Amino acid sequence: MSSNDTSIVQLQLATRCIAFAVGFPVLIIGIVGNLTNIIVFLSFGNYKKNASSFYMLAKSFFDLNVLIIGLIGHIIIQGFRSYAVTSESWCRFRIPLLYINSLCSYTCVCLQSIDLFLCSSQNPILRQQSTIQRAHYLVIGFLFIWICNESPYYFMKQVNLIPNWRCQTTNTIYSQYRSYFTILVLSNIIPILIIGLFGYFSYRNMHRLNINQRRTLSIFNRQTIRMALFAISIVLVFQVPYTIAQIYFTATVNITKNIYRQTQEQLANVFFFIYAYNTNASSFYCYYAASKKFREQVLQVLNKLTINQRRNRVIPFSQTGRILTLKSSLRLEK
């Protein structure tokens, strides 16, 4: 075996190690965090009446789906080198479901950043535009749009590309549409521009408010604004490097590459792909770090769950028999 072949094998092993060592922690942390978000947001009534918190709840739900559908499949493909999740029938369902939930998650972040700008504005007319009813309509409307955007994938014949272990359509036009528009523009460039722009405007609005104007904002609004700003900044940290990598991979897709370079790029692609999943896994920890009130609410929910678990715990029959015998003997002595 030549040195070049040895290097290729080492790079392939490194790719599998990254899938396991980085993918599993992100998966576990993300599932626990998003489930906790959903429980907390549904447990307290004030979160159900605020547009920004509704976007947080919807994003947690979509993020959970992205991790289960996307990251688990990616770990199986890259870590186990299994065709189980790259078969034609599974590709036909997995890829559209993954991008529907992923696009909905990015949409929630974009809508949340716009809502932050409206809530923090000094103009009362703009602040009145932030309503929970409008948030419901926007999320449902964009969900319908993304379903329509991904539905053609169900009717396209799929092929498995062994070098990259990924699903791709045989239709050249639709494949280019997905690569350049859906993946690069809709999933990366547009969300980063909207989040960055409105996040900056919201941050500037908050610093322009004087003490009296800040007092007019409710405690809950100030809390959600801090939580959302933290989450937006983390999204940019994890999404920008992945977007830069995707721009490179898309720009060089038609360049002839040897096997060694393909293996190198596959290693980088796996790393940035799993790295980007932190966007879907880190929202709970951003909220927890940003808001003292949210931390207290998380502890309240955990305490309720543990108390209910203790109350519902089944006592063995031997212990209940002893308790009943002691009670009856005490009654006879009296």
Side-chain angles (χ1 to χ4, degrees):
M1 182 180 290
S2 64
S3 59
N4 194 30
D5 293 336
T6 304
S7 300
I8 292 173
V9 172
Q10 290 175 348
L11 289 172
Q12 291 174 345
L13 290 175
T15 303
R16 298 180 66 181
C17 289
I18 288 175
F20 284 119
V22 182
F24 270 118
V26 173
L27 176 66
I28 295 170
I29 290 171
I31 290 177
V32 171
N34 285 305
L35 284 175
T36 308
N37 276 343
I38 293 171
I39 294 171
V40 172
F41 291 148
L42 292 177
S43 299
F44 295 91
N46 52 359
Y47 286 110
K48 302 174 186 178
K49 301 176 183 178
N50 182 273
S52 183
S53 59
F54 174 75
Y55 295 135
M56 294 179 187
L57 172 62
K59 183 180 183 300
S60 298
F61 175 77
F62 293 126
D63 285 344
L64 184 64
N65 292 337
V66 169
L67 292 172
I68 293 174
I69 299 169
L71 187 52
I72 290 178
H74 201 70
I75 292 172
I76 294 173
I77 294 170
Q78 300 297 336
F80 295 98
R81 291 288 173 173
S82 173
Y83 284 99
V85 291
T86 55
S87 64
E88 181 178 331
S89 58
W90 181 234
C91 280
R92 196 181 297 275
F93 291 96
R94 174 177 172 265
I95 299 301
L97 286 175
L98 173 60
Y99 278 96
I100 288 170
N101 285 278
S102 180
L103 288 169
C104 286
S105 175
Y106 292 133
T107 301
C108 288
V109 180
C110 293
L111 293 174
Q112 187 181 21
S113 63
I114 297 172
D115 186 76
L116 284 180
F117 168 71
L118 297 175
C119 292
S120 60
S121 175
Q122 298 180 6
N123 190 337
I125 298 177
L126 289 178
R127 290 200 299 269
Q128 292 174 2
Q129 303 305 311
S130 174
T131 62
I132 187 66
Q133 292 83 3
R134 185 166 295 173
H136 290 164
Y137 293 145
L138 287 173
V139 171
I140 294 172
F142 276 105
L143 174 61
F144 177 75
I145 291 172
W146 302 141
I147 290 174
C148 293
N149 183 74
E150 292 299 313
S151 58
Y153 202 97
Y154 287 103
F155 306 102
M156 299 285 179
K157 186 178 179 181
Q158 313 301 319
V159 293
N160 295 324
L161 300 181
I162 297 176
N164 294 321
W165 290 76
R166 62 190 179 90
C167 306
Q168 186 173 341
T169 66
T170 55
N171 188 306
T172 306
I173 297 175
Y174 186 68
S175 178
Q176 291 179 349
Y177 168 81
R178 288 187 57 82
S179 298
Y180 290 98
F181 187 68
T182 301
I183 298 175
L184 194 60
V185 177
L186 289 180
S187 299
N188 291 280
I189 295 176
I190 290 180
I192 287 176
L193 291 176
I194 294 176
I195 293 168
L197 184 64
F198 284 95
Y200 168 74
F201 287 154
S202 302
Y203 181 79
R204 188 184 62 179
N205 285 344
M206 289 299 296
H207 277 266
R208 284 183 175 180
L209 295 177
N210 55 39
I211 297 176
N212 293 328
Q213 289 173 330
R214 290 184 183 181
R215 287 176 180 173
T216 58
L217 293 174
S218 65
I219 296 174
F220 181 73
N221 280 337
R222 292 200 296 268
Q223 172 193 347
T224 54
I225 287 173
R226 283 198 304 272
M227 292 165 62
L229 285 175
F230 265 64
I232 287 172
S233 61
I234 292 299
V235 168
L236 293 176
V237 167
F238 289 121
Q239 199 64 27
V240 170
Y242 173 73
T243 302
I244 295 172
Q246 288 302 308
I247 291 173
Y248 166 77
F249 292 133
T250 304
T252 61
V253 69
N254 294 322
I255 297 177
T256 304
K257 305 171 186 177
N258 56 33
I259 298 177
Y260 182 69
R261 182 176 174 180
Q262 290 178 10
T263 310
Q264 286 180 316
E265 291 187 357
Q266 180 65 11
L267 173 62
N269 192 23
V270 169
F271 172 77
F272 283 112
F273 199 75
I274 295 178
Y275 178 81
Y277 273 109
N278 285 284
T279 304
N280 309 106
S282 59
S283 59
F284 165 75
Y285 308 96
C286 295
Y287 305 152
Y288 195 84
S291 173
K292 180 180 178 181
K293 184 65 176 177
F294 184 77
R295 292 194 292 269
E296 294 174 353
Q297 290 168 339
V298 171
L299 293 177
Q300 289 178 24
V301 170
L302 293 178
N303 288 334
K304 286 182 181 179
L305 292 175
T306 52
I307 290 172
N308 291 333
Q309 187 176 6
R310 290 175 183 174
R311 288 177 178 175
N312 296 328
R313 186 179 296 170
V314 178
I315 301 175
F317 178 76
S318 59
Q319 294 183 14
T320 57
R322 290 174 185 174
I323 293 171
L324 292 173
T325 304
L326 288 172
K327 287 183 177 180
S328 60
S329 63
L330 289 172
R331 289 174 183 174
L332 290 173
E333 289 178 0
K334 290 179 179 179

